Amino acid sequence: MPTTKATNRKQTPVFSGVLNYFPDAINEVARCSKIGNDQHNPNKPLQWDRAKSGDELDALMRHLSDHSIGPVDDDGQLHLAKVAWRAL
């Protein structure tokens, strides 16, 4: 059977393979995303302004390193939630 976009989608269990396994983590990352948006894009709809964020791997590593010092960032968000957001 040839591989199609529909076949690929059906073989990628986004809900049962990720969202259903990690609902608390996904919620924490979503909350982190909203708070970051409110900080960097005040009074604007949720969006990723890629012009303000070009160093994902460096930021990921900074938050991972900061987590080893203390789990919570100055804004009250978990460093590991920020790591996960950057990784995604």
Side-chain angles (χ1 to χ4, degrees):
M1 180 168 150
T3 302
T4 65
K5 287 183 182 181
T7 303
N8 284 339
R9 282 195 315 271
K10 290 178 181 179
Q11 292 177 352
T12 306
V14 175
F15 177 77
S16 61
V18 177
L19 297 177
N20 201 37
Y21 277 9
F22 307 107
D24 294 340
I26 297 298
N27 284 334
E28 191 66 29
V29 173
R31 194 166 73 92
C32 178
S33 179
K34 169 84 169 79
I35 290 169
N37 184 77
D38 292 348
Q39 175 187 348
H40 297 291
N41 303 297
N43 304 313
K44 292 186 180 177
L46 190 60
Q47 62 179 311
W48 181 6
D49 185 350
R50 293 174 190 246
K52 295 180 181 176
S53 154
D55 66 339
E56 281 72 36
L57 294 177
D58 286 327
L60 183 155
M61 294 307 296
R62 282 193 302 272
H63 286 295
L64 188 57
S65 177
D66 289 346
H67 169 75
S68 69
I69 298 165
V72 180
D73 201 349
D74 294 340
D75 62 1
Q77 294 300 294
L78 294 172
H79 283 294
L80 289 182
K82 293 180 178 190
V83 168
W85 191 91
R86 293 292 180 165
L88 290 168

